Amino acid sequence: MLPVAPLAAYLFLLCWSAIPFAPAEPVLLAGGAVAGAGGLLLPVAIGAAALGSLVSDLVKYALGRSAGPALLRRLSRYPAGARAVRWIESRMLASGAWVIAPSYFVPFGVVTATLLSGALRLPWRSVVLASAVGALVWATVFLGLGFVGTAVTGNPWFGLAIAAPAALVIGLLAKRRVARDCTCAPEAHESPCPLAA
């Protein structure tokens, strides 16, 4: 079924997830669909994607330590990026590096969280732990969606067709939850809640 050996597919999942600013969710959905058809072992695929994402987070953390403020200013030029920066900053004051885990499900969230963790010189051990948890949950959710879609339909293409809209719904629900939970800092009361828009 796969045009390549499973080992190559696992390496592809790992390497693609490790690219710091590349959207990996479509690749994970496809990988899950292939796993649902028996082409890959789901736990191995989840491990590969989570490991790649952890590597990506550590690269962004290192970038944040060396050039965090400039990168965050650049990210803030985009509306979704600016909202993510404000939300992550407010959460990081209370949660520290643990904000990285839920930020996987916020647009630009994990990019902002890891860059900001580096810029604020948060301890690398807490960043590694929070990133590992977030990466594992994220990989499980998106690979699992593809897997379940194929298991339900019996066809990886139909499975992917079901998984993609489901992933969009999860993203919208996560954004809505973040917007509802968002409380802006008192000194920024003149601005709307960053993710409410």
Side-chain angles (χ1 to χ4, degrees):
M1 148 154 203
L2 274 172
V4 295
L7 178 59
Y10 296 132
L11 287 174
F12 180 75
L13 280 170
L14 188 151
C15 292
W16 188 269
S17 298
I19 300 173
F21 301 101
E25 289 82 1
V27 173
L28 268 62
L29 292 173
V34 171
L40 296 174
L41 297 173
L42 184 62
V44 178
I46 288 171
L51 179 60
S53 187
L54 177 59
V55 169
S56 173
D57 285 354
L58 296 180
V59 168
K60 288 176 286 199
Y61 173 75
L63 286 172
R65 286 185 70 91
S66 61
L71 289 170
L72 289 169
R73 279 195 300 273
R74 181 170 292 183
L75 185 63
S76 294
R77 294 177 187 167
Y78 304 96
R83 288 192 295 270
V85 167
R86 291 194 296 268
W87 183 77
I88 297 294
E89 283 177 332
S90 68
R91 292 299 185 263
M92 197 163 276
L93 292 173
S95 306
W98 278 106
V99 76
I100 293 171
S103 73
Y104 263 89
F105 298 93
V106 177
F108 290 101
V110 73
V111 173
T112 303
T114 48
L115 287 174
L116 194 56
S117 294
L120 294 176
R121 303 291 199 270
L122 295 184
W124 70 270
R125 288 180 184 84
S126 61
V127 171
V128 169
L129 186 56
S131 291
V133 170
L136 187 60
V137 172
W138 168 79
T140 301
V141 167
F142 285 97
L143 280 156
L145 283 173
F147 183 89
V148 170
T150 298
V152 167
T153 64
N155 183 300
W157 292 108
F158 291 151
L160 191 55
I162 289 174
L168 287 174
V169 168
I170 287 175
L172 291 172
L173 290 175
K175 181 178 177 181
R176 186 174 178 182
R177 174 64 187 265
V178 166
R180 191 175 70 228
D181 292 347
C182 179
T183 53
C184 297
E187 62 272 15
H189 61 83
E190 70 278 3
S191 302
C193 193
L195 288 182

